[in-house]
Amino acid sequence: MPSRPSSRLALAAFAGLALVLSGCASGAASPSDSPDTATHEVTHARGTTTVTDAPERVVTLEPLELDTAVAVGITPVGAAVANMVKGVPSYLGVEGVTPVGTVSEPDLEAIASLEPDLILGTESRHSALYDQLSAIAPTVFIATQADPWRDNAALIGEALGREDEVKKAVDAVDTRCGEIKAAHSLAGKTAEMIRPRDETTLSLYGPVSFAGSLLECVGYTIPDHAWEDGLQADISPENIASATADAVFVTTTDVADRSTIPAAIAQNTAAFPVVTLVDTSTWVAGVGPKGAQSVLDDIETFLASAK
């Protein structure tokens, strides 16, 4: 029986990807193969990898890796993105970064076509792809996106050969936190960050989360909840009263659209007299030194308006 067209196309696509990856594995030299290329070893979630001291064609598979690279002046040639329609986050202010699939499903063929000299990924998301990625270029994995972002940024800086620059960028975030804390009396003040998921679920973000850590860094206290690893706690709209605080930040894709505030909050002005909409692309997905500065911009704007 002749093969169906869809089957032939699928086989052809698979064969094409196999050729790309096998070509990279056999034809692409590792940094240590070139006597003129300075290298260093990086110990990471999958072992130890030799990488070039000054990578020029970086591909990132995690938002933190993209943000951190851009923060120290490196524009990756490719990046896995949260949403293929929206592409690379606009807050980064960079052009020329090619989307290579999504964070959850990177496109191996697209990655290989960019001929990277360093790939940065995440064990918790991309473990099954490590061998194939390593056949394309030296690959370094952070353990999980849930780990403290400052620690992950330090490992990324080591892989990029920009440890000092990354440390300066992270230190600048902490310095600014201290300045905001000194300028405002936030001792004893509470803050909640709420992310609407759907009509039945609202996610609260805890002290270990990216934006949560920044809220506490400037002096706010996040009330206790049943956190999952300190990161997140889901509640239903019926339990929204448990999320009251002195400062309430609700994430949205359009900060100008007040209709994106969940009805449970919007219709309960007694418990939520002041609600500030903030951008999901920075408060949730903008993990890294540049995203942190954007979140601190929002916090300062709120504090200035609250005076």
Side-chain angles (χ1 to χ4, degrees), residues 200 202 204 225 234-244 264 268 272:
T200 63
L202 301 166
L204 310 180
H225 294 282
D234 292 339
I235 62 171
S236 65
E238 290 77 20
N239 295 320
I240 194 61
S242 66
T244 56
N268 193 354
F272 297 94

Side-chain angles (χ1 to χ4, degrees), residues 41 59 212 298:
E41 291 189 340
V59 168
D298 291 340

Side-chain angles (χ1 to χ4, degrees), residues 200-219:
T200 63
T201 307
L202 301 166
S203 293
L204 310 180
Y205 279 70
V208 179
S209 69
F210 171 62
S213 72
L214 294 171
L215 286 168
E216 292 214 326
C217 185
V218 302

